[in-house]
Amino acid sequence: MGELVERVDEQDRVLGVVDRGEAIKHHWLHRVATIVCRDAEGRFLVHRRAADMSRFPGQYNFMVGGAAEVGESYEEAAARELTEELGVRAPVRFALKFLCRGAISPYWLGIHEAVVDEVITPDPAEIAWHAWVTEDELREMARRPTFVADSVEALARYLS
């Protein structure tokens, strides 16, 4: 078995534990926690996913994150992912949650915010490139076909 996640229902209630690959294959709902990183100037961190990633390889995103592990809250998962993917620790603050229908599979998406004021050291297995951009630059990037499709809806909801 690979990565274990909690399968949840339309109200985000736990139904059981499943392999994430199976959840995606069968379109079972599970939980994903992400972080929108801002710097002290308010710019957004944008990154290009590594070319050999299983989902959305080589595409751009404004969130870092991943599946919540079994028994892990959205906030705990977000803090863990921030450290794993960017090599930093920072307080994460819950922003919103919604049922994302997803380009690959549906899932509950918890979006968090963090102000990152230290040098990041991205995991090269996950992040091939990164930069800090303004909101206008981010909106422009999100219109390109190389931007992760699921992130377009997340960005609109986050900015509203």
Side-chain angles (χ1 to χ4, degrees):
M1 230 184 226
E3 181 181 14
L4 295 179
V5 297
E6 292 172 331
R7 181 179 176 190
V8 295
D9 66 13
E10 296 274 336
Q11 285 74 47
D12 197 16
R13 295 179 299 219
V14 176
L15 301 173
V17 175
V18 298
D19 177 85
R20 186 176 186 198
E22 288 296 306
I24 291 169
K25 176 181 173 185
H26 296 292
H27 295 261
W28 295 334
L29 294 175
H30 58 288
R31 295 173 175 153
V32 172
T34 61
I35 309 97
V36 177
C37 296
R38 310 281 298 265
D39 67 7
E41 297 173 35
R43 296 177 301 174
F44 293 85
L45 180 70
V46 175
H47 69 278
R48 186 176 70 243
R49 296 170 59 84
D52 58 352
M53 296 289 294
S54 62
R55 291 173 282 282
F56 309 109
Q59 293 188 344
Y60 293 85
N61 201 340
F62 80 107
M63 300 180 294
V64 296
E69 295 177 352
V70 175
E72 193 174 44
S73 71
Y74 285 97
E75 290 79 9
E76 291 167 336
R80 176 182 48 78
E81 290 285 348
L82 182 64
T83 301
E84 288 177 4
E85 293 193 22
L86 300 179
V88 298
R89 293 187 190 280
V92 297
R93 185 183 73 80
F94 177 80
L96 67 119
K97 178 179 84 168
F98 70 97
L99 181 55
C100 181
R101 291 301 170 186
I104 296 173
S105 174
Y107 53 92
W108 278 98
L109 179 61
I111 301 175
H112 303 76
E113 300 171 306
V115 175
V116 177
D117 58 4
E118 58 186 276
V119 175
I120 63 172
T121 53
D123 177 354
E126 304 245 358
I127 296 174
W129 169 91
H130 70 279
W132 295 98
V133 301
T134 66
E135 183 177 324
D136 287 343
E137 292 168 325
L138 176 58
R139 287 178 185 271
E140 173 59 34
M141 291 179 83
R143 287 194 278 273
R144 299 177 189 158
T146 53
F147 204 77
V148 173
D150 295 5
S151 293
V152 175
E153 179 181 8
L155 178 61
R157 288 175 181 259
Y158 176 77
L159 292 176
S160 67

